[in-house]
Amino acid sequence: MTKVNPLRNAAAITAVGTHVVSLEEERISSLELQLRARRAAMASAGVTRQDIGAVFTGRAPMSYTAMQWNMRIINDLKIVPKMSTEVTVHGAGVLATWQYAAMAVTNGLIDYALCTSGCMGNRWVDLVEVNAGVEADLQFEAPYGPTTPSLYALWAQRYMHEFDVRPEDTARVAVENRRWALHHPAASMRHKGEISVGDVLESRLIASPLRLLDCSSWYRGGGVGSAVIITSAERARQSDRPIYLTGFGQCTTHEWVTERMGLWGIEPSTKPNLVTTGAAIAARDAYSSSGIGPQDVDLVETSAPFTFLNMMILEDLGFCKKGEGKDFVNSGGIDFAGGLPFNTNGGYLSFGQAANGMHMAIEAVEQLRGEAKGRQVGEPRHGLVHFHGGPNAAHSVAVLSAEGAI
Amino acid sequence: MSIDWSAGLPLRIGNVMIGLTETSPETAGYWQGVMRHELMIKVCMHCHRYLYPRRLLCPECGSEALEWLRAKGTGTVYTFSTVYRAPSDDFETPYSNGLIELDEGVHVFGRLIGKAHELISIGDRVQVEFGELRPSGGVLPVYRIM
């Protein structure tokens, strides 16, 4: 008999908070952005600072460099957590905060956890320059002038070579993500309207084989701050439409892309390669811990920031076999009309990359609650969320379930 | 001149020095090799595996007995990208960087030269050279496509 994972549906999200700063608004600090999102979440959950037992944050924002970012948050909120940390597996850490929060409330160590992320970096610094320094090995890569897209392009070039993927295949991801963005009021690229495969292929080269429209945009206005309150399923039942945390998986393989090629003898890199990712391992664990499979998933949100990577991730999340992502996408697999609901706010490509992206996970919560006005995907039961960070280095996957589905 | 990274570089916030970037005496031999125009990798004296210059111990057998070895300097392009949007104006675009599988089996990152950018292919054979790359201000290994 299979042992049921004790975390399965044992914790839930009872409230979310979002604060968006649009292009027209004055810039604020990343700290203020997160604190405003936090206030909305706590008010919605009806909890006070005295109720919060744990604070988990994503990594420090790029325009508010601080070691131990979680300390800045509690410093301002005057919360006295029993456990607190910045979860720094790059962008994957933001979703991992939900896993640690679930573990803490399930063990009865605390009653309520606050998880928060958000960055106003786009309005304060040149993120292209800054990010290259964060993403590359300062000693052995940075002196050659890599950019973040050019490091991911190393994966793209090899993946497309091995599986005979053409730029027009990956372009379709951008086209379908854009269609979703047109229905989200805060999506970065909404004002640009629809795009075609031709538009993607004719956009300027950024780092071959990636063109402008193959790449995510930094959130246009500057920032989206996000926060959630997580508590035990028992407590959550007293709240309105809690969303249950059903399963989790994480997998981190490297710090720099060159070091990934120095990884052997362990999944997903039994032999050095740039075509498998930790997402496959994280997804396998998320499915086994949740007891559901890809066929049960009603919507998928991912923080994959490039067209080709969305395709790889669809493979690694189990929606098609390795190397068949192009066939899945080309046969309408993620079409806005009739396909698997995928990046239903436009994703990193067309909603925009805001910090390390808790907004993508909150999109899944809103969908599962039936609150995604104008883009609601029927009555979904299970949502799959994938976060990633580093140069395809760290992956986290969560299965979320609506109240009626557990 | 070559930049010796192994002692770390000062990390400043305004006028305040807040620490050093990674000090790494274990990579000093690599940068000394660059000064001599030799590409150095490590080798495990216990299991004889060739290793990336950063390694402090052998992940395979756990041995700390690693020694520097001069690589032949030849290899194959595993993947690459031509950069059209540089991290700053200091870099003149386009330029191509790639991951090279050295004939010893170790993978390194570096600049690809000697072939039109649009003609570079996975599988191209390369030979290391040493050149001063702007704006790094120092000599670095670069890889000429043969």
Side-chain angles (χ1 to χ4, degrees):
Chain A
M1 190 180 142
T2 318
K3 191 167 168 260
V4 174
N5 186 300
L7 271 188
R8 186 186 298 175
N9 298 323
I13 290 168
T14 57
V16 301
T18 300
H19 185 75
V20 179
V21 174
S22 70
L23 199 59
E24 295 74 28
E25 289 172 88
E26 206 169 310
R27 66 182 182 176
I28 59 176
S29 73
S30 296
L31 181 66
E32 184 176 352
L33 185 75
Q34 292 196 15
L35 294 184
R36 283 171 179 264
R38 181 277 322 167
R39 184 171 63 183
M42 283 174 66
S44 169
V47 297
T48 66
R49 67 189 173 97
Q50 288 85 357
D51 297 324
I52 303 288
V55 174
F56 299 112
T57 70
R59 62 157 166 72
M62 291 184 181
S63 58
Y64 199 116
T65 306
M67 286 185 192
Q68 308 176 70
W69 175 245
N70 55 307
M71 300 306 291
R72 296 302 174 94
I73 297 290
I74 66 157
N75 186 60
D76 236 84
L77 295 178
K78 302 308 175 199
I79 285 175
V80 183
K82 292 173 183 153
M83 49 175 59
S84 173
T85 191
E86 175 187 342
V87 182
T88 55
V89 277
H90 292 280
V94 173
L95 190 59
T97 63
W98 293 16
Q99 183 173 7
Y100 298 129
M103 291 163 77
V105 297
T106 304
N107 281 330
L109 298 170
I110 58 153
D111 294 338
Y112 295 93
L114 166 69
C115 303
T116 174
S117 89
C119 181
M120 281 292 298
N122 199 23
R123 291 281 287 275
W124 293 90
V125 291
D126 177 353
L127 286 171
V128 174
E129 184 168 1
V130 171
N131 218 53
V134 174
E135 214 90 70
D137 180 335
L138 285 174
Q139 226 180 119
F140 291 98
E141 295 171 356
Y144 295 102
T147 54
T148 297
S150 77
L151 292 169
Y152 280 87
L154 299 174
W155 296 77
Q157 194 84 260
R158 187 72 200 190
Y159 170 72
M160 294 170 80
H161 170 81
E162 287 199 18
F163 297 108
D164 194 25
V165 179
R166 301 160 306 164
E168 49 268 44
D169 300 326
T170 53
R172 192 153 168 176
V173 174
V175 171
E176 296 303 329
N177 274 205
R178 177 64 60 87
R179 291 204 167 108
W180 282 104
L182 301 181
H183 301 278
H184 195 297
S188 268
M189 293 294 136
R190 187 185 190 197
H191 68 291
K192 299 264 192 183
E194 292 218 12
I195 50 171
S196 66
V197 167
D199 291 334
V200 180
L201 299 180
E202 284 161 26
S203 62
R204 66 190 165 88
L205 276 163
I206 298 296
S208 68
L210 305 177
R211 294 176 179 273
L212 182 69
L213 293 177
D214 287 309
C215 305
S216 68
S217 59
W218 292 108
Y219 189 71
R220 182 167 163 262
V224 180
S226 311
V228 298
I229 302 294
I230 290 173
T231 190
S232 65
E234 198 181 357
R235 274 198 183 75
R237 279 187 200 102
Q238 295 149 21
S239 63
D240 180 33
R241 286 172 298 167
I243 297 303
Y244 291 86
L245 301 167
T246 309
F248 289 105
Q250 289 188 50
C251 181
T252 301
T253 48
H254 58 277
E255 174 67 324
W256 305 298
V257 65
T258 311
E259 290 277 18
R260 171 61 197 267
M261 291 306 296
L263 181 63
W264 73 92
I266 188 164
E267 279 190 293
S269 186
T270 45
K271 285 182 182 169
N273 77 84
L274 292 188
V275 296
T276 61
T277 77
I281 310 300
R284 186 186 66 194
D285 289 351
Y287 286 133
S288 70
S289 62
S290 64
I292 72 158
Q295 71 283 355
D296 304 310
V297 170
D298 299 312
L299 60 101
V300 179
E301 313 292 346
T302 167
S303 73
F306 299 97
T307 48
F308 85 93
L309 189 57
N310 278 274
M311 194 176 271
M312 282 177 89
I313 295 302
L314 283 165
E315 296 169 356
D316 287 354
L317 295 182
F319 295 100
C320 54
K321 289 187 185 139
K322 194 83 215 159
E324 294 181 4
K326 63 173 181 176
D327 304 319
F328 182 69
V329 169
N330 280 332
S331 63
I334 58 162
D335 275 10
F336 173 76
L340 171 71
F342 181 64
N343 293 341
T344 55
N345 60 2
Y348 267 33
L349 293 169
S350 273
F351 183 90
Q353 175 169 3
N356 24 41
M358 198 190 284
H359 61 291
M360 293 305 301
I362 286 180
E363 170 67 15
V365 172
E366 290 181 353
Q367 288 283 358
L368 290 165
R369 283 179 150 186
E371 290 174 351
K373 289 191 192 79
R375 60 186 192 288
Q376 180 63 41
V377 178
E379 293 179 9
R381 290 161 55 82
H382 301 292
L384 191 73
V385 185
H386 162 262
F387 272 38
H388 111 290
N392 216 355
H395 297 264
S396 54
V397 174
V399 175
L400 312 181
S401 300
E403 196 162 21
I406 65 162
Chain B
M1 254 309 276
S2 165
I3 302 168
D4 183 355
W5 285 84
S6 59
L9 297 176
L11 207 57
R12 294 180 183 281
I13 292 184
N15 295 326
V16 183
M17 200 265 222
I18 59 163
L20 291 172
T21 59
E22 50 186 35
T23 48
S24 58
E26 69 277 9
T27 64
Y30 178 86
W31 297 107
Q32 288 159 9
V34 169
M35 296 275 275
R36 301 190 303 270
H37 289 194
E38 294 177 358
L39 184 68
M40 306 301 286
I41 57 174
K42 283 182 178 170
V43 58
C44 173
M45 300 311 285
H46 183 253
C47 74
H48 309 291
R49 191 178 184 100
Y50 295 119
L51 296 165
Y52 194 58
R54 275 191 177 282
R55 290 294 76 77
L56 287 153
L57 51 76
C58 177
E60 188 69 37
C61 73
S63 171
E64 291 177 21
L66 308 188
E67 289 195 4
W68 288 107
L69 174 90
R70 184 180 180 181
K72 281 189 290 186
T74 48
T76 307
V77 174
Y78 176 78
T79 187
F80 68 96
S81 176
T82 303
V83 182
Y84 293 87
R85 166 69 159 97
S88 72
D89 294 339
D90 297 331
F91 292 90
E92 196 179 323
T93 58
Y95 52 89
S96 296
N97 290 328
L99 282 167
I100 297 109
E101 182 176 348
L102 298 176
D103 289 345
E104 289 81 2
V106 172
H107 290 81
V108 293
F109 184 85
R111 181 67 54 85
L112 300 173
I113 60 168
K115 194 174 181 181
H117 298 292
E118 58 276 15
L119 298 179
I120 298 174
S121 300
I122 286 172
D124 280 354
R125 292 286 295 161
V126 298
Q127 167 76 53
V128 73
E129 285 181 13
F130 292 83
E132 192 156 326
L133 274 196
R134 289 176 197 280
S136 72
V139 174
L140 290 170
V142 296
Y143 298 87
R144 181 172 293 279
I145 298 173
M146 297 188 276

